[in-house]
Amino acid sequence: MNNFTFYNPVRVHFGKGQVTNLKEELKDYNKILVTYGGGSIKKNGVYDDVMENLKGKEVFELSGITPNPRTDKVYEGIKICKENDIDFILAVGGGSTLDCSKAIAMGAKTDEDFWDYFFEEKNKPIDAIKLGTVITMAGTGSEMDGSCVISNIERKKKYGYGHRLLYPVFSIIDPTYTYSLPKYQLISGTCDMFSHIMEEYFSEPDYENTTDNISESLMKTVIDSIRVALKNPEDYQARSNLMWASTLAINGLTATGKSSDWLSHKLEHTLSAYFDVTHGMGLAVVHPNYLKFVYKNHLEKFRSFAINVWNIDPEEKTDEELALESIVALQNFFKEIGAPTTLRELDIPKDKIKEMAENTAAYKTSYSDLSTSDIETIYNNAY
Ligand code: NZQ
Ligand code: ZN
């Protein structure tokens, strides 16, 4: 395996009823900004659970954070933090709420424009308000990573930013909070976590290693658990398996000793920036098509994927046949759970493909070195 340094400082409180840990976690903070999305937490009782544990604190609220969170909500949050001297941000919701809150946390500590300063210029000095999370859906893993992804609609850009100061201090992960999740979001989150695992798995080294064996096990868990959760949304075991798998998929564990890829995410972020595509649904379309483009030089890894994840019988098959079968199995899985597998299903106009390819900045990875025309080919193949 490659050399690595593994760092993850997030304290996780996992399981039903763990929200009560908020009292202890927040005992040293007084002015709390609670951030959330379009109101699901008010319908499913999570808001009440949180507020019950914030009694005695001075609480401010920022609501209405949308999926694919945008710059406007970040500016709004920064203003609240600066005007009220907020000393802790508690993000309650899905990955969008968490990401928006992370951007607010760092944006509130500078007088510069947060987008230009952090997302365009990068590597600028950073400070951030401390942040904790109560995550209500499984998918992004934002509850245990130091990244946030923000959309700038005017500039047609969706960019990520990562820093160690953006790791939450703690995260409450209660699988019962996901029972109310609409089926569409359950499917999308599942595609997202699966894609996160593959972004690391399909990167060198290709030979069998501890990290990839963990990844194979996570992928099998996701496959089994989503099938159960779709049939019975209140199956605690399936929900907890999905939640923990999604957290582990991006907390650094599955990247240890691997070179990492993440180009499928680059390809998806362009779809979201142009057409507000739901992240996981976009990945279900582009990731298998990216793999079809790069598999030829990495047959050893695809062989393991076929046999160990999809239980494909290798008897009398060439490695190339196995690789292609494994990608078909992946696409069939996405289809089976109700995700799209073509850009057409996402209502992307074909005549935008060239422009989207030109606006997707790729970089060299151990699996690929995509040119603009390669990206165009992948999008066209996905159509
Ligand atoms: O806004 P509310 O009313 O809360 O409703 C949300 C939203 O409409 C709803 N929802 C969430 N939990 C619910 C619920 N509805 C009922 N019951 C619950 N328990 O689901 C909808 C989608 O929420 P959102 O937060 O947008 O979903 P997700 O967690 O998939 O986040 C997607 C965003 O995260 C970014 C994506 O690009 C996208 O912008 N990502 C963040 C990453 C990170 N920070 O590391 C990595 C990922 O690769 C990804 O890029
Ligand atoms: Zn993702």
Side-chain angles (χ1 to χ4, degrees):
M1 302 217 294
N2 301 337
N3 291 0
F4 65 87
T5 301
F6 179 68
Y7 169 80
N8 196 304
V10 183
R11 208 159 34 249
V12 169
H13 302 285
F14 188 97
K16 185 171 162 42
Q18 290 281 38
V19 70
T20 51
N21 283 288
L22 283 177
K23 280 197 183 110
E24 175 65 20
E25 287 287 2
L26 296 175
K27 69 177 188 320
D28 297 329
Y29 304 97
N30 289 313
K31 291 184 158 196
I32 318 276
L33 173 63
V34 176
T35 54
Y36 54 97
S40 68
I41 64 164
K42 291 207 167 160
K43 291 189 199 121
N44 60 17
V46 177
Y47 177 87
D48 292 340
D49 284 358
V50 167
M51 289 305 168
E52 177 65 29
N53 287 284
L54 294 187
K55 279 186 179 152
K57 307 282 179 195
E58 196 175 348
V59 176
F60 300 78
E61 295 189 22
L62 172 71
S63 61
I65 296 169
T66 58
N68 292 330
R70 300 173 182 195
T71 48
D72 56 350
K73 277 289 161 190
V74 181
Y75 290 120
E76 206 179 318
I78 290 172
K79 190 162 180 279
I80 298 175
C81 289
K82 285 186 173 171
E83 284 177 1
N84 300 288
D85 216 4
I86 295 296
D87 56 12
F88 197 92
I89 301 176
L90 181 64
V92 187
S96 296
T97 292
L98 272 54
D99 284 8
C100 182
S101 308
K102 289 176 182 177
I104 293 168
M106 60 180 177
K109 287 282 192 180
T110 174
D111 290 330
E112 306 283 340
D113 177 86
F114 94 89
W115 178 267
D116 290 338
Y117 192 68
F118 295 116
F119 287 77
E120 298 280 1
E121 294 176 35
K122 311 250 179 194
N123 301 322
K124 291 286 185 184
I126 162 175
D127 192 7
I129 297 176
K130 294 220 175 333
L131 167 137
T133 84
V134 179
I135 183 91
T136 61
M137 73 175 272
T140 62
S142 185
E143 66 276 17
M144 207 176 175
D145 74 15
S147 305
C148 59
V149 185
I150 302 293
S151 294
N152 187 321
I153 297 301
E154 293 76 34
R155 298 194 203 172
K156 287 199 168 63
K157 286 175 176 172
K158 181 175 180 181
Y159 282 175
Y161 184 90
H163 194 277
R164 65 182 170 75
L165 290 180
L166 298 183
Y167 282 97
V169 176
F170 66 84
S171 282
I172 310 277
I173 307 177
D174 182 337
T176 65
Y177 285 174
T178 65
Y179 289 171
S180 58
L181 194 63
K183 191 173 163 194
Y184 179 85
Q185 296 298 341
L186 167 62
I187 296 165
S188 172
T190 300
C191 297
D192 191 19
M193 67 181 88
F194 208 91
S195 174
H196 294 164
I197 302 166
M198 293 194 295
E199 293 280 21
E200 309 291 4
Y201 182 79
F202 290 111
S203 71
E204 287 180 353
D206 283 348
Y207 56 78
E208 188 189 334
N209 61 79
T210 309
T211 302
D212 285 344
N213 289 345
I214 293 171
S215 290
E216 287 174 356
S217 169
L218 287 174
M219 287 189 271
K220 287 197 288 189
T221 302
V222 174
I223 294 164
D224 292 344
S225 304
I226 182 63
R227 287 177 173 150
V228 176
L230 281 169
K231 280 201 196 101
N232 178 11
E234 301 205 2
D235 187 299
Y236 183 78
Q237 206 175 318
R239 289 292 194 171
S240 46
N241 282 333
L242 286 172
M243 276 204 115
W244 192 226
S246 76
T247 307
L248 293 179
I250 207 169
N251 75 347
L253 177 68
T254 59
T256 47
K258 299 285 292 182
S259 48
S260 299
D261 197 282
W262 294 95
L263 277 177
S264 293
H265 269 64
K266 274 265 170 194
L267 297 173
E268 191 296 306
H269 284 171
T270 307
L271 305 183
S272 293
Y274 270 75
F275 299 106
D276 205 18
V277 165
T278 304
H279 178 61
M281 298 307 198
L283 288 167
V285 174
V286 295
H287 210 141
N289 283 287
Y290 172 71
L291 295 179
K292 275 186 200 160
F293 199 80
V294 299
Y295 77 91
K296 282 204 164 109
N297 295 328
H298 304 279
L299 294 177
E300 187 182 355
K301 187 49 54 195
F302 280 89
R303 184 184 164 81
S304 307
F305 186 54
I307 298 170
N308 299 338
V309 178
W310 301 110
N311 300 318
I312 296 172
D313 182 358
E315 196 73 17
E316 292 180 16
K317 284 177 192 146
T318 64
D319 282 353
E320 176 145 16
E321 282 167 342
L322 276 177
L324 287 170
E325 268 192 53
S326 72
I327 300 171
V328 171
L330 171 68
Q331 264 175 324
N332 286 342
F333 167 66
F334 286 151
K335 253 186 230 164
E336 172 202 326
I337 64 173
T341 50
T342 62
L343 287 182
R344 192 177 289 117
E345 289 165 83
L346 294 173
D347 290 329
I348 308 279
K350 198 158 196 227
D351 60 8
K352 277 282 175 189
I353 284 182
K354 195 170 173 18
E355 186 187 327
M356 288 196 307
E358 283 163 0
N359 281 306
T360 304
Y363 43 79
K364 192 173 179 330
T365 72
S366 66
Y367 267 37
S368 71
D369 189 7
L370 300 181
S371 64
T372 303
S373 102
D374 293 336
I375 297 172
E376 201 179 333
T377 303
I378 294 170
Y379 281 146
N380 274 317
N381 291 343
Y383 204 79

